[in-house]
Amino acid sequence: DTAVSQTPKYLVTQMGNDKSIKCEQNLGHDTMYWYKQDSKKFLKIMFSYNNKELIINETVPNRFSPKSPDKAHLNLHINSLELGDSAVYFCASTPGTGNSPLHFGNGTRLTVT
Amino acid sequence: AQSVTQLGSHVSVSEGALVLLRCNYSSSVPPYLFWYVQYPNQGLQLLLKYTSAATLVKGINGFEAEFKKSETSFHLTKPSAHMSDAAEYFCAVSEGSAAGNKLTFGGGTRVLVKP
């Protein structure tokens, strides 16, 4: 069974559209994240939720809105997509303590045309 | 604020040769350090982590890393490269907190293994 699963794996859409990416983890972890990996492979944290509460909110445009219906799920909704949003988005989870490694999903490759 | 610098965005090694990937960090508190590997079209997998128990950390696939506080480094090595080691490698630092583990990643090093 996949520990951290994201859907869809690929997402191609036009500028101005609204899209969502879903993430689920079956590890029983308390904390979940969204990371963005750009075309140069640089990884940057976007959001983090601990037990459904937002705890990290980096400088991300308001068009990005995370939602955590329960601690096993963290979804990412993006409004009014722009060309610059094209990237690979990774969901991750961790038990929550400082030295616990993150477990990553396989990513969602978003292409905005 | 924490940061990570990986020297060399690309490293090319021959099969059987030593793999050395360099990572330097800055952190205002004793750090937790990690190395991750990313194969094409996949997510990141943990190779190893440093959490102050021992300065020499052994990971999966024959990799190890040594924490040197005086040099603020956490270089990754493998004595003998294998073709399957071709991938992107990321060093990361976390200052940790009770609420979570905000990882800051280096820019990554792509490893190419030549037969």
Side-chain angles (χ1 to χ4, degrees):
Chain A
D1 285 341
T2 303
V4 182
S5 59
Q6 298 178 226
T7 54
K9 186 172 176 64
Y10 300 97
L11 185 53
V12 180
T13 188
Q14 292 183 329
M15 283 196 309
N17 285 348
D18 304 338
K19 291 293 179 185
S20 292
I21 306 171
K22 296 187 176 183
C23 179
E24 176 181 4
Q25 55 95 2
N26 62 5
L27 297 166
H29 290 167
D30 288 331
T31 308
M32 296 185 71
Y33 306 79
W34 280 111
Y35 275 81
K36 179 180 180 180
Q37 186 174 46
D38 63 22
S39 59
K40 296 185 178 179
K41 300 290 188 180
F42 183 70
L43 278 153
K44 185 171 170 55
I45 190 170
M46 300 174 70
F47 302 102
S48 174
Y49 271 73
N50 180 263
N51 204 10
K52 302 192 298 178
E53 291 195 20
L54 182 66
I55 55 171
I56 296 174
N57 185 350
E58 295 294 292
T59 308
V60 178
N62 291 336
R63 300 181 294 102
F64 290 79
S65 54
K67 283 187 172 54
S68 182
D70 55 61
K71 74 174 192 176
H73 296 83
L74 180 61
N75 304 322
L76 183 65
H77 188 77
I78 314 170
N79 290 324
S80 303
L81 279 155
E82 301 177 357
L83 292 176
D85 297 333
S86 295
V88 182
Y89 293 84
F90 286 101
C91 178
S93 72
T94 185
T97 56
N99 63 355
S100 300
L102 271 61
H103 297 251
F104 284 84
N106 284 332
T108 296
R109 183 176 295 276
L110 171 64
T111 303
V112 183
T113 61
Chain B
Q2 55 194 23
S3 66
V4 178
T5 302
Q6 291 183 238
L7 295 178
S9 59
H10 292 80
V11 167
S12 181
V13 299
S14 297
E15 193 173 17
L18 171 73
V19 180
L20 170 61
L21 305 182
R22 300 180 187 275
C23 172
N24 289 88
Y25 70 91
S26 68
S27 176
S28 57
V29 298
Y32 301 117
L33 294 160
F34 306 83
W35 275 100
Y36 283 85
V37 60
Q38 184 180 27
Y39 299 103
N41 297 317
Q42 293 188 25
L44 281 73
Q45 299 174 28
L46 180 70
L47 275 178
L48 49 81
K49 67 176 183 180
Y50 166 76
T51 58
S52 77
T55 56
L56 184 62
V57 182
K58 293 189 184 299
I60 62 171
N61 302 339
F63 284 93
E64 63 181 33
E66 186 173 10
F67 172 70
K68 292 187 177 180
K69 184 178 179 181
S70 60
E71 299 178 7
T72 59
S73 69
F74 190 56
H75 302 331
L76 181 72
T77 60
K78 181 173 180 177
S80 177
H82 190 273
M83 296 298 290
S84 61
D85 294 326
E88 191 92 24
Y89 292 80
F90 293 92
C91 182
V93 63
S94 171
E95 294 178 345
S97 72
N101 190 358
K102 177 182 173 182
L103 280 186
T104 298
F105 286 88
T109 299
R110 175 160 292 183
V111 172
L112 173 65
V113 182
K114 298 177 293 185

